[in-house]
Amino acid sequence: MRPSILPILLAATLLPAQTPAKPTRPAAAKTVRKAPAKTTPEAEAARQGLRQTLEAVDAGWFGQPYQGVSSVQMQGTLGVALSGAVVNQKVDSLSEGQVKGNSQGGQANLRVKGIYFANGDFKTDLAGDFGTLLYARRGNRGFLYSKEQNAYTTRVDLPPSDAPTTYMAWFRQTLNDIKAVYIDAPTFKASLAGEETNGGRTLQRLVFSAPTQGWDAKKREQSLAQSLGFWKRGRLEVAVDKATKQPQRLDFRNDEQGIHTRMDFSYGAGGKLQSINVANSSRGFEGPGWLRIGYGGDGLMSNVAGELASQDKKVSFAMDLAWSRTRTAADIAAIPPAGATKRGREEMETQLIVGLAGKIFDLQRAGLNLRSVAISGK
């Protein structure tokens, strides 16, 4: 999985919980060959327009400056602020009205420092109000360590089998993932929505639609794949500068997931992305947001900062970036501290959830008058 800024910011509004059901072996069935879907000149023009836009994004936002760059060091902070109202509402929802919260609200901050290689190797230190964690992986081996528990697990997610070796290829592969869903696959119906003029620019509007089910307010949980894959269905409209092919505005909605957001892009010299202004109408997170990007003299991103805000909560982050062509695996070498207890992944995750819940409760100045809750791993 190669996350982009949009999924990271919006996925924070979703609450994945259940494990997908184990598939059963289907009965043998006769193979039926389907005729390829018919296309129209308008649909082909829309797909070609998006293809050119992704190429322009690759060249202008990323591209040549990242050739040979194999790793990046990220260092900064992540902050979450909640009002008492939103905490109390969540308590009421999760307990189905059996428990009433009495929170005055709170906030939590997390410090992040890590080195990430394009091929999937990494080492990350996390510290703050939610505890201290060390997460590292080289090849197929790694560990997750909790200082508070003085425990670790070696069962970690494996890297992708097709991982690139440079970030120039990493960004291109990410854009290819988008191309595969919106252009190459038959899932989305492509069309044109006319042209408009904005600031002296002529914009062409491209539309891609794959209908979803409606919003179900009673649905309380869903699979992780549904949460992270929300962008693979819905309605996407992109307004593209006809001269530069760069996106100027993006409007996306997925009614089933309760997501609706608009992004407006602004650029600096050389077509480099400088900022994104967000108008978020997603359920439970209605409000404004922004993303700002700074660059060094080498043309590489040097810092990224952003925020999503609503009436009851705010998520913000600020990261400094240091890219390198010469770091080696020795720069992320790490082992669990001597004396730490080794645990299974499920047990480790359960204890982390318990500890996280305790930290959240500590943040509430007036307390959450909760009964004891039994928590078990899945």
Side-chain angles (χ1 to χ4, degrees):
M1 179 180 64
R2 286 172 286 275
S4 66
I5 295 297
L6 173 60
I8 290 174
L9 292 181
L10 296 184
T13 67
L14 304 176
L15 293 174
Q18 68 181 23
T19 301
K22 183 177 181 180
T24 56
R25 183 181 298 275
K30 183 179 180 180
T31 301
V32 178
R33 296 184 179 275
K34 294 184 178 180
K38 294 183 178 180
T39 187
T40 65
E42 179 184 351
E44 282 303 310
R47 292 191 178 95
Q48 177 63 14
L50 183 58
R51 185 179 292 109
Q52 292 173 341
T53 295
L54 294 176
E55 292 171 354
V57 167
D58 182 29
W61 297 19
F62 314 117
Q64 198 64 32
Y66 297 89
Q67 184 175 19
V69 173
S70 58
S71 69
V72 60
Q73 182 180 65
M74 298 179 60
Q75 185 169 349
T77 59
L78 170 69
V80 180
L82 303 175
S83 73
V86 74
V87 174
N88 295 336
Q89 181 182 23
K90 181 60 65 177
V91 170
D92 181 73
S93 173
L94 293 177
S95 67
E96 298 184 353
Q98 298 302 307
V99 179
K100 297 298 181 182
N102 184 28
S103 170
Q104 300 302 309
Q107 63 181 17
N109 294 290
L110 181 67
R111 297 182 300 280
V112 181
K113 183 177 181 181
I115 295 176
Y116 307 88
F117 283 81
N119 68 359
D121 292 347
F122 66 87
K123 175 186 173 185
T124 303
D125 290 282
L126 306 172
D129 294 320
F130 289 147
T132 302
L133 299 173
L134 172 60
Y135 190 18
R137 185 184 68 205
R138 292 173 58 186
N140 293 332
R141 295 186 176 184
F143 68 91
L144 172 63
Y145 167 76
S146 167
K147 180 179 179 181
E148 284 69 27
Q149 297 181 41
N150 193 29
Y152 68 97
T153 179
T154 57
R155 286 184 57 192
V156 299
D157 295 328
L158 299 180
S161 59
D162 60 345
T165 58
T166 71
Y167 271 98
M168 180 178 175
W170 190 93
F171 289 124
R172 186 164 297 165
Q173 204 169 56
T174 301
L175 295 174
N176 284 338
D177 289 346
I178 298 174
K179 175 177 174 289
V181 172
Y182 283 89
I183 299 176
D184 298 337
T187 308
F188 282 86
K189 178 182 178 181
S191 61
L192 301 175
E195 296 181 356
E196 64 182 73
T197 302
N198 188 337
R201 298 185 179 92
T202 300
L203 308 183
Q204 184 178 48
R205 293 161 58 196
L206 315 175
V207 177
F208 298 82
S209 180
T212 69
Q213 298 181 5
W215 171 258
D216 183 0
K218 296 181 180 179
K219 185 177 180 180
R220 297 184 179 276
E221 59 185 22
Q222 64 183 7
S223 70
L224 180 61
Q226 285 178 303
S227 295
L228 296 181
F230 68 86
W231 59 279
K232 296 182 179 180
R233 294 198 72 90
R235 184 184 187 278
L236 171 70
E237 179 175 320
V238 186
V240 180
D241 187 327
K242 291 190 69 175
T244 66
K245 307 302 181 184
Q246 294 271 28
Q248 302 296 312
R249 184 181 68 247
L250 179 153
D251 192 289
F252 176 81
R253 68 181 306 149
N254 179 321
D255 292 333
E256 184 177 4
Q257 298 284 3
I259 294 175
H260 185 194
T261 189
R262 167 176 164 158
M263 296 183 175
D264 290 276
F265 305 89
S266 63
Y267 299 90
K272 289 190 176 297
L273 179 66
Q274 284 193 324
S275 66
I276 303 176
N277 288 327
V278 181
N280 199 12
S281 301
S282 300
R283 289 181 180 267
F285 221 119
E286 298 85 350
W290 53 265
L291 177 73
R292 302 289 184 267
I293 302 175
Y295 297 86
D298 54 5
L300 302 175
M301 289 180 281
S302 59
N303 55 80
V304 180
E307 178 181 289
L308 276 180
S310 69
Q311 182 178 357
D312 296 319
K313 48 187 172 287
K314 180 173 70 174
V315 177
S316 59
F317 68 92
M319 296 286 170
D320 291 325
L321 310 176
W323 307 86
S324 174
R325 294 175 171 83
T326 59
R327 289 192 186 99
T328 67
D331 292 301
I332 58 172
I335 59 173
T341 302
K342 184 176 181 179
R343 291 178 177 166
R345 178 165 177 167
E346 291 78 9
E347 181 185 4
M348 186 81 173
E349 289 178 346
T350 298
Q351 292 301 316
L352 287 174
I353 291 173
V354 172
L356 179 62
K359 293 296 183 181
I360 292 176
F361 295 159
D362 290 342
L363 290 174
Q364 313 315 319
R365 298 176 182 176
L368 287 169
N369 296 324
L370 291 172
R371 299 168 182 169
S372 298
V373 179
I375 301 177
S376 61
K378 291 188 177 182

